[in-house]
Amino acid sequence: MIKINENFMNLQDSYLFSTIAKKVAEYTEKNPDKKVIKLGIGDVTRPIVPAVIRAMKKAVEEQGTQEGFRGYGPEQGYDFLRKAIVENDYKSRGIEIEEDEIFVSDGAKCDCGNIVDIFAQDNKVAITDPVYPVYLDTNVMSGRSGKWDEDKNIYENIVYLPVTAQNDFKPELPKEKVDMIYLCFPNNPTGTVLDKKELKKWIEYAKENKAVILYDSAYEAFITEENIPHSIYEVEGAKEVAIEFRSFSKTAGFTGLRCAYVVVPKKLKGYTKKQEEISLNKLWNRRTCTKFNGVSYVVQRGAEAVYCKEGKEQIKENINYYLENAKIIKEGLEKSGYTVYGGKNSPYVWLKVPEGMTSWEFFDELLEKYNIVGTPGSGFGPHGEGYFRLTAFGTRENTIEAMERINNKY
Ligand code: MLT
């Protein structure tokens, strides 16, 4: 008899974005005449920029020649891309990261999910709340949570760190000792940021407690303010305590192409039960070689082109386009009297739902009354209740139309 991984039985319903997609599909089927504007999942709409397309076309042609053909590539990513990442994302900001600390992958979602493989089951996990559901669900799947508590809407054995308007969306350090800490800044879903001083507190906590920070900076390209760190390694001491996740998805529109990377510094150590220090870089490399055969050569050539002069300019234009959308959403909502957060250093706008309504009730109202899809805050965790997320990744036309519908009470 085949036995299942019973940790899966602890998971709640379906994955947040699948639930939303199902609800929207049902609505569209019943209302085929309605034009539904989707500002729910953070999926991009701008096409891949010409510099990237040109590089990929060249790489495709190479694959059809005897000299240019490539089979399996290095599991950790081609040297040309790791080098471009080191130079452009780190050296340019005064950060020393070595090429063998970079692991190129097919997405930050997979990386955030897969990283749990290298950590013991009895580690205590802390997440901010609300949070990108992948951090939590993958720890539930791998047995690091207890049971779901129906009354409190939380998992036992997980430390939830509230981020709400009350604490200005800045999580407080855990009151108890934790081992794995998930931080995401600019934050998904709240769109808020932390400065270096605030991040420093976390690095010190992690050092004192021999904990690891799993730092998701998938949205760093949207930072507009000067004093906000793009990488956790901009803060002293971070290389000893943090793994960083980066993605080409939101930065360069690779949600369909798939390319991302993880930085696992060689200084970063984990411990055996006997307290021996083990390099996490070595463990992640071992895991990667065993379970992954690398991102396709063509896509990695495309990712490399993100860093050429032309690529950088073209991508900047797209980022500015989305930031302008965020501004339109923020101002549109404020015009209609909503209290709004984020959207300044982030493609996400986080709003307070009208008094007396739950996040899901607001979801239904927005869908049925205005034919707009967003993401209910409570889907990101109990402290997301009463909030709602809209993404700036839609087209300009749809973004403007969505705000007109809300402003004109269409
Ligand atoms: C989101 O909407 O939160 C993200 O697009 C989901 C993801 O990146 O997987």
Side-chain angles (χ1 to χ4, degrees), residues 114-185:
N114 291 333
I115 200 79
V116 298
D117 274 11
I118 64 170
F119 298 112
Q121 218 180 0
D122 58 359
N123 280 310
K124 190 84 164 177
V125 176
I127 51 159
T128 53
D129 170 28
V131 79
Y132 178 43
V134 173
Y135 316 145
L136 179 62
D137 284 4
T138 55
N139 276 293
V140 175
M141 287 173 182
S142 51
R144 246 167 246 109
S145 77
K147 296 263 179 262
W148 175 251
D149 183 328
E150 283 291 345
D151 300 328
K152 295 189 190 147
N153 268 340
I154 56 171
Y155 283 98
E156 291 165 3
N157 206 34
I158 297 281
V159 175
Y160 289 73
L161 308 167
V163 278
T164 62
Q166 274 76 44
N167 60 9
D168 209 14
F169 301 98
K170 295 182 184 14
E172 278 167 34
L173 293 175
K175 303 221 176 353
E176 59 195 288
K177 191 171 155 30
V178 301
D179 309 299
M180 293 164 65
I181 304 160
Y182 287 86
L183 295 178
C184 170
F185 291 100

Side-chain angles (χ1 to χ4, degrees), residues 161-405:
L161 308 167
V163 278
T164 62
Q166 274 76 44
N167 60 9
D168 209 14
F169 301 98
K170 295 182 184 14
E172 278 167 34
L173 293 175
K175 303 221 176 353
E176 59 195 288
K177 191 171 155 30
V178 301
D179 309 299
M180 293 164 65
I181 304 160
Y182 287 86
L183 295 178
C184 170
F185 291 100
N187 186 253
N188 179 15
T190 66
T192 53
V193 287
L194 285 193
D195 64 21
K196 284 189 192 166
K197 203 166 137 231
E198 283 145 0
L199 266 184
K200 180 87 187 142
K201 280 193 325 204
W202 288 92
I203 291 165
E204 278 161 12
Y205 173 93
K207 270 194 189 161
E208 273 162 33
N209 292 282
K210 294 196 168 159
V212 66
I213 297 175
L214 300 155
Y215 193 76
D216 185 348
S217 58
Y219 300 95
E220 61 78 31
F222 297 86
I223 294 173
T224 55
E225 285 175 309
E226 281 296 311
N227 57 340
I228 304 300
H230 287 244
S231 161
I232 192 163
Y233 305 121
E234 284 180 55
V235 186
E236 205 201 315
K239 275 199 259 176
E240 286 142 60
V241 293
I243 290 177
E244 181 160 281
F245 302 92
R246 289 279 188 110
S247 171
F248 293 94
S249 285
K250 321 292 159 132
T251 312
F254 276 47
T255 51
L257 285 177
R258 312 303 306 146
C259 196
Y261 66 89
V262 196
V263 186
V264 189
K266 283 180 280 189
K267 279 188 183 171
L268 181 56
K269 308 284 185 221
Y271 300 88
T272 64
K273 283 195 188 112
K274 291 184 185 152
Q275 315 265 313
E276 293 159 300
E277 270 191 1
I278 304 289
S279 156
L280 293 187
N281 178 288
K282 269 199 185 152
L283 289 191
W284 184 244
N285 188 50
R286 185 71 178 81
R287 191 246 172 236
T288 302
C289 294
T290 306
K291 293 198 179 180
F292 191 50
N293 262 333
V295 176
S296 84
Y297 173 69
V298 175
V299 169
Q300 289 195 58
R301 279 294 184 199
E304 182 194 22
V306 165
Y307 298 110
C308 72
K309 185 170 173 292
E310 206 190 340
K312 279 183 188 165
E313 286 164 8
Q314 293 166 350
I315 279 157
K316 189 80 200 131
E317 250 176 65
N318 282 354
I319 302 277
N320 288 340
Y321 176 98
Y322 295 131
L323 283 169
E324 182 60 26
N325 281 354
K327 190 163 171 257
I328 292 167
I329 296 174
K330 195 166 155 50
E331 289 175 359
L333 290 170
E334 279 167 352
K335 197 169 148 197
S336 279
Y338 290 95
T339 305
V340 184
Y341 309 93
K344 194 171 179 192
N345 295 295
S346 159
Y348 295 128
V349 174
W350 188 242
L351 61 127
K352 197 95 191 78
V353 305
E355 216 38 62
M357 270 184 127
T358 67
S359 301
W360 276 108
E361 281 165 358
F362 188 70
F363 173 91
D364 290 335
E365 178 169 294
L366 217 59
L367 179 60
E368 280 154 29
K369 219 158 134 190
Y370 305 109
N371 307 139
I372 298 169
V373 182
T375 312
S378 55
F380 296 102
H383 284 90
E385 183 55 276
Y387 293 93
F388 199 79
R389 193 191 79 176
L390 290 176
T391 151
F393 286 124
T395 62
R396 177 63 46 78
E397 302 70 43
N398 280 348
T399 304
I400 292 174
E401 190 179 333
M403 288 309 111
E404 280 171 358
R405 288 183 191 178

